[in-house]
Amino acid sequence: MRSVVIAVGLQVAIGFAGAACAGDRLAELGIRVSTLSSGVAELRPEPVLARPPDALPDARPGQGANDIAEAWLIGPSVRYDHGILGDAIEASGLRVVLRDGKVLEYGLDEDSVFEDLMPRIADLDGDGRDEVIVVRTYLNAGAALAVFGVTGDRVQIRAETPPIGRPHRWLNPVGVGDFDGDGAQEIAYVETPHIGGILRIVSLREGRLLEEAAEHGFSNHAIGSRALGLSAILDVDGDGRDDILVPANGRKSLRIVSFSDGTFRELGAIAHPAAIVSDFEIADRDGNGRVDVTYGLADGSLVVLNR
């Protein structure tokens, strides 16, 4: 079965003032959209590290590039009854494995859990040391975005957004990039992705997570799913600044957005006949030296954005 470029049933709509047509704008962005029928291709599995026995059943490792080699969510707990990730088992602790082999842990008090599956690791403040980004949820106040770091022989919290404000309200990180071109790394996440998601951009400054921008209309998770990676961060328009690819509310279209110079702009939106349901694969599928983006739809097909 051949892949079909801009296939029948795959609408493409570009929110770009003055664009002559969607295809032209996609071509300007260097994107060719293909759909692959079920069974033609599969998303390529990521390498898996050995899961510690006290990790969450579906835990995935975060892997760092500097002082932190890997991080895990540990200590399964049933003290929070939300079950947004498919069960009511959440983590009560964070384990960090340093590059020198030292193992450090951080345990939460009874009033919160890590409502997440995979810590994300990045150097957010440019000091050459990694930070760990994870979703911390308070039983009585909902989710917050938390950043941890290592000081000496201790894992310590560096900063945290205010919790959403009520139980059973959650957020899902998108990732880390320099979205506004200031040379510093920011964190993107979607707050309440199931009930009118807000894409928020925050940066770590002087021990605080400061909001840089926010925009409504996004969803990067389906209730009960363990797929948290419905997003990609790439420089799509070639301006040297990271752009964000993340589904719209309802997940039946992909929005490609920029926060260049701190101003929100939609570069394009690709509509689909079924909801986006899988983690995004970011890999060079066609061997041209540029990464492509692949994701699955609820009807069993795959969409490939070749670049």
Side-chain angles (χ1 to χ4, degrees), residues 159-182:
E160 187 174 287
T161 64
I164 293 172
R166 56 184 295 183
H168 299 172
R169 293 293 182 267
W170 184 70
L171 62 84
N172 188 23
V174 170
V176 174
D178 180 7
F179 304 116
D180 57 12
D182 66 355

Side-chain angles (χ1 to χ4, degrees), residues 173-194:
V174 170
V176 174
D178 180 7
F179 304 116
D180 57 12
D182 66 355
Q185 298 291 296
E186 292 94 32
I187 309 169
Y189 67 94
V190 178
E191 180 181 298
T192 59
H194 314 112

Side-chain angles (χ1 to χ4, degrees), residues 45-94:
E46 296 181 0
V48 177
L49 298 176
R51 182 184 291 110
D54 58 347
L56 286 178
D58 294 306
R60 307 170 199 165
Q63 296 181 267
N66 298 296
D67 56 321
I68 297 177
E70 59 187 86
W72 292 87
L73 292 173
I74 60 171
S77 168
V78 293
R79 63 181 180 238
Y80 188 53
D81 63 353
H82 193 193
I84 201 68
L85 303 179
D87 59 35
I89 302 173
E90 310 300 348
S92 63
L94 171 66

